[in-house]
Amino acid sequence: MEQKVLPIKDSNVLHQVQTCLFEDFKAGPRNYTIFQVGKATLLRVSDVLALHSTDVFDERGDVRQTAYIHDKKTGKANRLYLKPVTGDLYRYRSWLQEQEITSPWLFPSTQHPDRHITEKQFYKIMAKVGDLLSLDYLGTHTMRKTGAYRVYTQSNYNIGLVMHLLNHSSEAMTLAYLGLDQASREEMLDHIDFG
């Protein structure tokens, strides 16, 4: 049976996941920053992990406001807005320097800094977080789905914006990706004043 990965909708649970990623692993600052970048950029995990340091930091070591990549899955050009995670990226860079880890990759393996962390490694990290917090819906797409859900709810349910950020071709695909089933839609409708 395939595991169902859902967005983290509860802000308290999100905080617990972030804290666990940061504090409960040897490479916690790396794991936390992967999650934050994935959540803020809505990239697929494969694209987050394949980022180079030069995609994010300029020659002076400053965080770029935007980065440009090509999505692995679709081949489409993608413009990443990094301002929401600037502080996280600076703290992460300081941690890399403290650990004396140098790599062309933004998220290197601690064992083999010449390679980036793999999707399988990050899946194991998210699975361990799920075990530690008794959450059965975490996976490598949690960060992307959580970011999309937060954009959707905080942008006044702007499905067009979320579709664009996810590179989806239909609203139905985006709604399904967000985990918005009939019960969720009815719960939202309960808060609408129809006059």
Side-chain angles (χ1 to χ4, degrees):
M1 185 172 138
E2 190 177 318
Q3 179 201 18
K4 183 156 178 101
V5 176
L6 299 170
I8 300 168
K9 297 177 181 179
D10 183 306
S11 292
N12 292 323
V13 173
L14 177 59
H15 180 72
Q16 290 173 346
V17 168
Q18 291 166 314
T19 300
C20 188
L21 281 166
F22 194 88
E23 295 179 356
D24 293 344
F25 295 88
K26 180 182 164 211
R30 181 201 60 197
N31 302 340
Y32 170 84
T33 308
I34 290 169
F35 188 82
Q36 293 298 95
V37 169
K39 186 166 49 81
T41 62
L42 279 64
L43 284 178
R44 289 174 185 86
V45 67
S46 57
D47 292 318
V48 172
L49 300 181
L51 287 170
H52 288 89
S53 292
T54 54
D55 292 330
V56 172
F57 296 105
D58 67 18
E59 48 285 333
R60 292 184 314 274
D62 292 327
V63 176
R64 299 177 190 277
Q65 186 167 337
T66 55
Y68 300 91
I69 66 160
H70 280 84
D71 289 351
K72 280 185 169 184
K73 183 176 177 182
T74 64
K76 293 179 187 176
N78 199 339
R79 181 177 180 264
L80 311 178
Y81 185 59
L82 297 172
K83 190 175 176 185
V85 287
T86 298
D88 292 325
L89 287 164
Y90 279 126
R91 282 186 293 277
Y92 172 62
R93 190 184 66 194
S94 293
W95 177 80
L96 285 172
Q97 291 167 343
E98 289 166 13
Q99 300 298 310
E100 299 179 356
I101 298 171
T102 55
S103 175
W105 302 103
L106 183 59
F107 300 114
S109 162
T110 53
Q111 306 293 315
H112 304 282
D114 57 321
R115 298 190 292 234
H116 63 72
I117 182 177
T118 65
E119 287 179 55
K120 185 176 182 178
Q121 286 172 299
F122 194 66
Y123 172 79
K124 288 179 180 177
I125 290 164
M126 292 304 293
K128 182 175 179 188
V129 171
D131 289 345
L132 290 170
L133 299 177
S134 299
L135 301 171
D136 65 355
Y137 58 86
L138 300 184
T140 56
H141 280 276
T142 299
M143 56 193 183
R144 177 171 155 95
K145 288 186 176 197
T146 300
Y149 181 81
R150 292 179 78 78
V151 169
Y152 179 66
T153 57
Q154 294 177 38
S155 68
N156 240 355
Y157 309 104
N158 186 338
I159 194 69
L161 173 63
V162 179
M163 278 176 57
H164 174 74
L165 292 170
L166 291 172
N167 268 331
H168 283 173
S169 56
S170 75
E171 283 188 17
M173 178 188 295
T174 301
L175 289 169
Y177 192 81
L178 291 171
L180 296 175
D181 55 10
Q182 185 62 34
S184 298
R185 289 190 295 268
E186 288 171 2
E187 184 180 322
M188 285 182 195
L189 288 172
D190 285 344
H191 299 287
I192 303 294
D193 179 2
F194 287 102

